[in-house]
Amino acid sequence: VQLQASGGGLVQSGGSLRLSCAASGRTASNNAMAWYRQTPGKEREFVAAIGWNGGSTTYAEAVKGRFTISRGYAASTMYLQMDNLKPEDTAVYYCAVDRRAMYSNSPRSWGRGTQVTVSS
């Protein structure tokens, strides 16, 4: 499966962005999907995940209450609504397809990242 993330950009602190991820090739409709992020010199970290049917979501503590993950009508699409952004949210954001139907932190496929920069 090929993944394409988009929607990143430059925003001021307190602003919002909506990231999108589209999967093509092998379907991701039966798999959980997730967002991760990475900053230079640090390991990639988990941000949010959603189960195969959109009924189960989980978030990193740092983004709870500010970010919302969802799946599109076409189940191989995924979104991340990011509100009240903070400078520490600055990172390259990656989408991934999990190996299982429910999130298990075992990515099967990665997309190219999209840069999110939050200015103070």
Side-chain angles (χ1 to χ4, degrees):
V1 59
Q2 292 79 44
L3 300 171
Q4 180 65 52
S6 61
L10 173 64
V11 65
Q12 289 188 333
S13 181
S16 298
L17 283 173
R18 189 186 194 217
L19 304 184
S20 300
C21 177
S24 60
R26 182 178 173 185
T27 182
S29 60
N30 295 322
N31 297 79
M33 297 180 73
W35 290 98
Y36 295 78
R37 65 187 182 186
Q38 187 171 25
T39 55
K42 293 187 177 181
E43 292 189 357
R44 195 169 297 185
E45 65 174 6
F46 168 75
V47 176
I50 188 164
W52 72 278
N53 64 353
S56 175
T57 59
T58 185
Y59 297 91
E61 283 297 323
V63 307
K64 273 185 183 177
R66 300 188 298 120
F67 290 11
T68 303
I69 190 171
S70 62
R71 297 188 77 135
Y73 179 76
S76 291
T77 57
M78 176 178 64
Y79 305 98
L80 186 68
Q81 177 66 40
M82 305 187 295
D83 298 317
N84 190 21
L85 282 160
K86 304 177 181 181
E88 51 264 41
D89 294 318
T90 295
V92 177
Y93 284 70
Y94 298 88
C95 59
V97 175
D98 199 272
R99 296 182 186 277
R100 298 183 180 273
M102 302 304 290
Y103 175 65
S104 64
N105 195 23
S106 55
R108 185 186 80 198
S109 304
W110 290 99
R112 288 187 177 182
T114 184
Q115 176 71 47
V116 171
T117 303
V118 184
S119 62
S120 57

